[in-house]
Amino acid sequence: MDGLDSPQTPKGSLRKFLEQLSGAGKAIGVLTSGGDAQGMNAAVRAVVRMGIYVGAKVYFIYEGYQGMVDGGSNIVEADWESVSSILQVGGTIIGSARCQDFRTREGRLKAACNLVQLGITSLCVIGGDGSLTGAHIFQTEWSGLLEELARDGKISTEQVQKHGHLNVVGMVGSIDNDFCGTDMTIGTDSALHRIIEVVDAIMTTAQSHQRTFVLEVMGRHCGYLALVSALACGADWVFLPESPPEEGWQENMCIKLSENRARKKRLNIIIVAEGAIDTQNKPITSEQIKELVVTQLGYDTRVTILGHVQRGGTPSAFDRILASRMGVEAVVALLQATPETPACVVSLSGNQAVRLPLMECVQMTQEVQKAMDERRFKDAVRLRGRSFENNLNTYKRLAIKLPDSEIPKSNCNVGVVNVGAPAAGMNAAVRAAVRVGISEGHKMFAVYDGFEGFAKGQIKEIGWGDVGGWTGQGGSILGTKRTLPGKYLEDIAAQMRTHGISALLIIGGFEAYLGLLELSAARQKHEEFCVPMVMVPATVSNNVPGSDFSIGADTALNTITDTCDRIKQSASGTKRRVFIIETMGGFCGYLANMGGLAAGADAAYIFEEPFDIRDLQSNVEHLTEKMKTSIQRGLVLRNESCSENYTTDFIYQLYSEEGKGVFDCRKNVLGHMQQGGAPSPFDRNFGTKISARAMQWISSKLKESVGKGKKFLSEDSVCVLGISKRTLLFQPVAELKKETDFEHRIPKEQWWLKLRPLMKILAKYKVSFEVSDASQLEPVQPRGPEEPAAI
């Protein structure tokens, strides 16, 4: 290892860590198989670098299982530089192929022989359920295959003893997100990016001509892409294989489309999964739907089939981080494996990396298909997991408005307000709140321009149709201000009285959190504030206590990642150039740290991890070493408030001086472009779901008080709704106070700091890394009482 020690790592912990996880004498083979997916390269890069880091040999197996069977030049040892510059590339650089030979025992014999010759007894397979099933069969047959090879004199008996068992770890790379046991598969988020880019583009032309568009998206057996993109763009109707439309859907759909037109909506979007079926398991095609709309309604209708566009393009920030985390976890799992360890899959649950038994997941995935074949559609949806079920229920609530006569009135008025800086996805959250509120019988009031507008009485009732088309809009349509309510308490209380507001939903960042604390403290003085109040975190900084994620952070992360990609390309052209990039985030290093992980940065300076001149010096030395290799460029991120004195200019000047003759420097401040832009699919979906959940909480609180005229005084009636590890939690602001560093406006504990060593390892620094417990395989889908936080 010629990487430099990271000065922040105590020497003892590093030594212990490397002893615990020594890969010396191990050989790991990595292959991608089945259909390609964006982010596979990030996974390959992480496996290769983590493997080399712990002292193992890592081999590329080109062209999937076919390369393993053919051997020869298809199995090649990889080095650190062979995975340089692939993080931002879609598809897979080691190729993927569907392989018939591996399905036969002869094929697997050849493959085993090729692996044994190189001493490869650990396999990391990146692919769908077919590829992972193949790996499982290979593992169970391994000792038998070796014995047969030894009998035929192809390998020696020593080799049989030395390489007597095979360990397998899988990562799911599939854009369909059709694998049970994992919340997100590698490539799904990027495929959603492609779909949403197209939908946004189609919406503008459809609007001009008052057209109906039928969009066909991928998903032969799984409707995840169709469902989530329908949720993210507010489609009028969606067809999924797991949940076919009820008998007589043709008429219902036409009524729905014409109702929407009557509400002054100039376009209709219908999304169809390629595997869509009716309740009799007969296919529903996009052409059929078009014919129906044209003959029944006479609307000008067009069909767009997205096809392989969805597999292409550069991976999103989410997929790069997911794949990097999974790749590192996969190597750790292989090093901790014993001869008895069954094949496992590393996957994501909430935002926790977990290991699951591979065959249980595959069996569950096949159960879904079986349920669909047997027309047990309710079971199919349930088996897909809770996040799929939640998505479906949320979509139904937001897409279909019941006639007013069928909605029981609650006689409650609920206010919605945006506070703080704008964040992409705020509008999706407002839309979801308004529609869920109306469907629960409340009157919804929009408060314009934050607490300031509240005090001035800028409050209007807002209807179902008023929020149509809001999901894809960036910024904040209601307008937002950073002003806190403290100095306007009298006026706000008066406005709440005037409009009879019986609950409040606040969507915003740290100011919203402070505002909620001030309103809750003012309850003694103003009884108007004795109502249920809940905050949904929305800020690019992701610094709200009580939640691991906030609306808007994913969009900002993608902006940073895209910019870094372009900058790296420019640096590769000029050679020997280091870029220093300043990101937003206040004192919270989330954007700098995660942006560094997603863009493959050499260092990221953040406030949470204090650094001094020695660290800067060691980073310069590290870059000087790097310039001697074939990778002659550097990328350094700096959070805007990471240090009062080590400013971006200072770091730029230091690097320029110290790197004289070796590399030159450029600096770039990204600024407010991180707050703008159309929201990413993740932010639209997250905003929609978390806000809908907040409205349900408000309704349940209001139901408790019906007829009792009770005032809400308890702490649990003022909450922040957030994601914590794997669950959605409502936490009273009073309890969150002790977890907050008010001076720096960040939570005292932040989950993503655990991922810091990941970035450093992948950039060739020696650091220790917190390893999950050995051999802890989790059961698939334990059904706990808490709410799952899958996005």
Side-chain angles (χ1 to χ4, degrees):
M1 266 306 293
D2 55 344
L4 286 162
D5 287 355
S6 170
Q8 274 113 355
T9 303
K11 292 282 184 290
S13 70
L14 177 66
R15 198 172 56 246
K16 190 166 141 236
F17 159 72
L18 284 171
E19 277 163 14
Q20 211 184 348
L21 270 193
S22 169
K26 278 219 171 170
I28 299 172
V30 57
L31 72 144
T32 52
S33 166
D36 69 319
Q38 307 95 321
M40 278 183 166
N41 284 331
V44 170
R45 169 180 179 265
V47 170
V48 169
R49 292 197 165 172
M50 184 64 182
I52 293 172
Y53 178 78
V54 292
K57 279 185 167 183
V58 185
Y59 288 86
F60 284 150
I61 300 173
Y62 286 100
E63 312 308 336
Y65 288 117
Q66 193 64 56
M68 201 193 288
V69 174
D70 297 344
S73 61
N74 287 304
I75 307 179
V76 180
E77 190 175 347
D79 62 18
W80 194 271
E81 287 165 46
S82 40
V83 289
S84 154
S85 305
I86 67 169
L87 195 56
Q88 64 272 32
V89 180
T92 159
I93 58 154
I94 54 178
S96 177
R98 314 241 179 221
C99 172
Q100 289 309 319
D101 297 349
F102 194 75
R103 291 170 187 265
T104 65
R105 189 166 167 98
E106 294 77 71
R108 294 195 287 275
L109 270 169
K110 284 186 192 164
C113 186
N114 290 328
L115 294 186
V116 168
Q117 303 297 1
L118 293 164
I120 299 172
T121 53
S122 297
L123 266 192
C124 181
V125 182
I126 308 164
D129 56 348
S131 314
L132 298 179
T133 309
H136 170 74
I137 294 168
F138 194 42
Q139 183 190 30
T140 45
E141 289 182 354
W142 181 259
S143 50
L145 292 171
L146 294 203
E147 278 160 22
E148 193 174 325
L149 288 168
R151 277 202 304 278
D152 299 346
K154 296 205 174 126
I155 61 173
S156 67
T157 45
E158 289 86 75
Q159 283 175 306
V160 177
Q161 281 159 351
K162 191 175 173 197
H163 307 303
H165 60 269
L166 177 74
N167 287 117
V168 172
V169 173
M171 282 185 262
V172 192
S174 150
I175 63 166
D176 294 341
N177 202 21
D178 55 359
F179 195 78
C180 293
T182 145
D183 288 346
M184 281 293 254
T185 58
I186 296 167
T188 307
D189 188 63
S190 303
L192 286 170
H193 272 260
R194 296 300 92 80
I195 296 170
I196 294 301
E197 281 158 18
V198 172
V199 174
D200 285 353
I202 278 176
M203 279 189 158
T204 54
T205 163
Q207 211 126 28
S208 314
H209 295 277
Q210 299 203 29
R211 282 193 174 136
T212 295
F213 268 87
V214 181
L215 244 82
E216 184 179 304
V217 301
M218 280 186 166
R220 265 199 313 269
H221 308 295
C222 177
Y224 184 88
L225 290 177
L227 175 56
V228 174
S229 42
L231 197 58
C233 72
D236 297 272
W237 201 271
V238 65
F239 290 92
L240 313 169
E242 293 89 344
S243 177
E246 291 153 15
E247 294 295 311
W249 61 268
Q250 292 89 339
E251 194 186 343
N252 293 341
M253 184 179 83
C254 291
I255 292 171
K256 169 91 201 300
L257 296 181
S258 51
E259 274 178 2
N260 278 352
R261 285 287 169 103
R263 286 201 196 101
K264 302 273 193 297
K265 192 176 174 186
R266 294 178 59 92
L267 77 161
N268 303 107
I269 301 262
I270 298 165
I271 293 185
V272 191
E274 61 179 327
I277 46 176
D278 63 15
T279 45
Q280 301 310 307
N281 280 19
K282 291 198 184 63
I284 298 177
T285 66
S286 19
E287 279 304 325
Q288 261 174 289
I289 297 165
K290 174 187 170 175
E291 287 306 303
L292 179 74
V293 176
V294 171
T295 49
Q296 296 287 313
L297 297 168
Y299 291 164
D300 185 359
T301 305
R302 298 282 190 276
V303 173
T304 302
I305 297 175
L306 292 191
H308 283 74
V309 165
Q310 297 161 83
R311 279 193 194 281
T314 173
S316 64
F318 182 93
D319 272 332
R320 297 181 196 193
I321 292 165
L322 171 67
S324 301
R325 288 177 70 180
M326 299 297 111
V328 169
E329 182 68 25
V331 173
V332 173
L334 284 170
L335 294 180
Q336 290 177 339
T338 63
E340 289 71 54
T341 309
C344 75
V345 179
V346 290
S347 83
L348 192 70
S349 172
N351 71 18
Q352 301 286 98
V354 293
R355 298 179 203 172
L356 305 161
L358 186 142
M359 276 327 282
E360 276 184 46
C361 296
V362 169
Q363 277 151 4
M364 235 174 96
T365 305
Q366 289 162 351
E367 284 289 308
V368 182
Q369 191 53 49
K370 203 168 137 220
M372 278 153 52
D373 295 341
E374 294 168 7
R375 309 220 296 264
R376 293 182 287 117
F377 295 110
K378 285 227 163 41
D379 289 348
V381 169
R382 192 178 49 78
L383 285 164
R384 273 272 177 250
R386 291 204 221 167
S387 112
F388 190 89
E389 231 173 328
N390 290 349
N391 280 330
L392 189 56
N393 295 335
T394 307
Y395 173 76
K396 286 177 179 163
R397 292 197 73 158
L398 298 177
I400 297 155
K401 181 180 190 297
L402 289 169
D404 288 342
S405 55
E406 286 178 38
I407 303 175
K409 293 281 167 278
S410 70
N411 299 323
C412 292
N413 298 346
V414 179
V416 181
V417 58
N418 288 354
V419 178
M426 275 183 161
N427 300 320
V430 173
R431 167 184 176 268
V434 167
R435 291 197 168 177
V436 170
I438 290 170
S439 74
E440 310 236 309
H442 311 315
K443 266 191 180 170
M444 298 302 296
F445 285 84
V447 180
Y448 294 84
D449 296 337
F451 288 122
E452 210 172 296
F454 208 154
K456 292 180 184 155
Q458 296 171 355
I459 304 168
K460 273 220 288 280
E461 190 179 343
I462 187 165
W464 186 278
D466 299 334
V467 290
W470 277 29
T471 41
Q473 306 279 329
S476 159
I477 298 174
L478 294 184
T480 177
K481 283 254 184 5
R482 287 178 179 269
T483 329
L484 292 172
K487 50 181 176 186
Y488 302 111
L489 290 170
E490 300 280 332
D491 300 339
I492 293 175
Q495 292 298 339
M496 285 186 69
R497 206 163 45 242
T498 312
H499 293 91
I501 286 177
S502 36
L504 201 53
L505 171 65
I506 302 175
I507 300 166
F510 206 82
E511 280 84 6
Y513 170 70
L514 294 174
L516 201 52
L517 282 168
E518 291 184 0
L519 293 177
S520 133
R523 279 178 159 183
Q524 273 86 23
K525 234 173 141 184
H526 303 280
E527 61 173 15
E528 291 82 359
F529 300 138
C530 300
V531 297
M533 296 191 265
V534 63
M535 169 192 167
V536 168
T539 163
V540 297
S541 307
N542 195 22
N543 61 341
V544 176
S547 189
D548 293 353
F549 291 109
S550 55
I551 301 167
D554 183 71
T555 305
L557 208 48
N558 276 296
T559 305
I560 293 168
T561 309
D562 291 348
T563 311
C564 288
D565 285 351
R566 293 180 184 194
I567 283 173
K568 271 169 82 171
Q569 210 170 26
S570 133
S572 302
T574 33
K575 295 271 185 299
R576 295 175 172 271
R577 178 164 284 177
V578 175
F579 273 89
I580 290 149
I581 295 174
E582 181 184 306
T583 67
M584 285 178 117
F587 284 99
C588 177
Y590 179 80
L591 289 179
N593 188 64
M594 301 307 254
L597 190 54
D602 295 284
Y605 299 117
I606 60 172
F607 167 76
E608 291 88 346
E609 189 177 277
F611 57 98
D612 59 23
I613 197 75
R614 289 185 296 275
D615 300 306
L616 292 171
Q617 184 59 36
S618 100
N619 291 343
V620 171
E621 284 163 19
H622 189 263
L623 283 165
T624 309
E625 284 304 306
K626 188 177 174 185
M627 295 298 161
K628 293 176 186 164
T629 68
S630 60
I631 320 169
Q632 302 190 342
R633 49 142 216 279
L635 182 68
V636 175
L637 271 66
R638 178 188 174 276
N639 156 269
E640 58 185 356
S641 308
C642 66
S643 159
E644 200 181 336
N645 295 314
Y646 296 136
T647 59
T648 303
D649 285 333
F650 176 88
I651 293 176
Y652 162 69
Q653 284 162 347
L654 178 84
Y655 272 59
S656 301
E657 184 59 36
E658 294 291 320
K660 256 193 195 147
V662 184
F663 56 80
D664 63 355
C665 265
R666 294 285 183 275
K667 64 172 189 233
N668 210 327
V669 176
L670 297 185
H672 282 75
M673 65 191 266
Q674 296 163 82
Q675 278 180 6
S680 66
F682 182 95
D683 279 332
R684 297 180 193 201
N685 196 3
F686 180 46
T688 300
K689 284 170 71 171
I690 195 169
S691 176
R693 185 64 197 86
M695 273 314 298
Q696 288 167 323
W697 177 84
I698 284 179
S699 298
S700 68
K701 285 279 180 216
L702 291 172
K703 277 198 189 84
E704 287 171 20
S705 71
V706 169
K708 300 181 191 150
K710 86 165 196 190
K711 289 195 192 118
F712 290 88
L713 295 165
S714 63
E715 288 183 350
D716 67 357
S717 60
V718 189
C719 284
V720 173
L721 169 57
I723 283 191
S724 174
K725 291 199 175 65
R726 301 192 205 174
T727 44
L728 271 176
L729 281 183
F730 287 91
Q731 298 182 70
V733 281
E735 281 174 25
L736 289 172
K737 262 163 99 165
K738 56 181 178 295
E739 294 170 25
T740 310
D741 169 354
F742 284 100
E743 185 192 346
H744 300 106
R745 303 160 52 98
I746 50 175
K748 286 179 184 168
E749 302 257 311
Q750 303 191 76
W751 67 276
W752 51 266
L753 283 168
K754 285 211 294 288
L755 301 187
R756 238 175 111 77
L758 225 69
M759 186 193 85
K760 294 180 181 176
I761 288 171
L762 296 176
K764 218 172 185 173
Y765 283 92
K766 289 183 179 172
V767 290
S768 69
F769 177 57
E770 196 178 305
V771 178
S772 44
D773 305 334
S775 68
Q776 272 313 105
L777 281 193
E778 305 222 352
V780 185
Q781 276 206 316
R783 295 252 170 186
E786 71 282 345
E787 295 188 48
I791 311 297

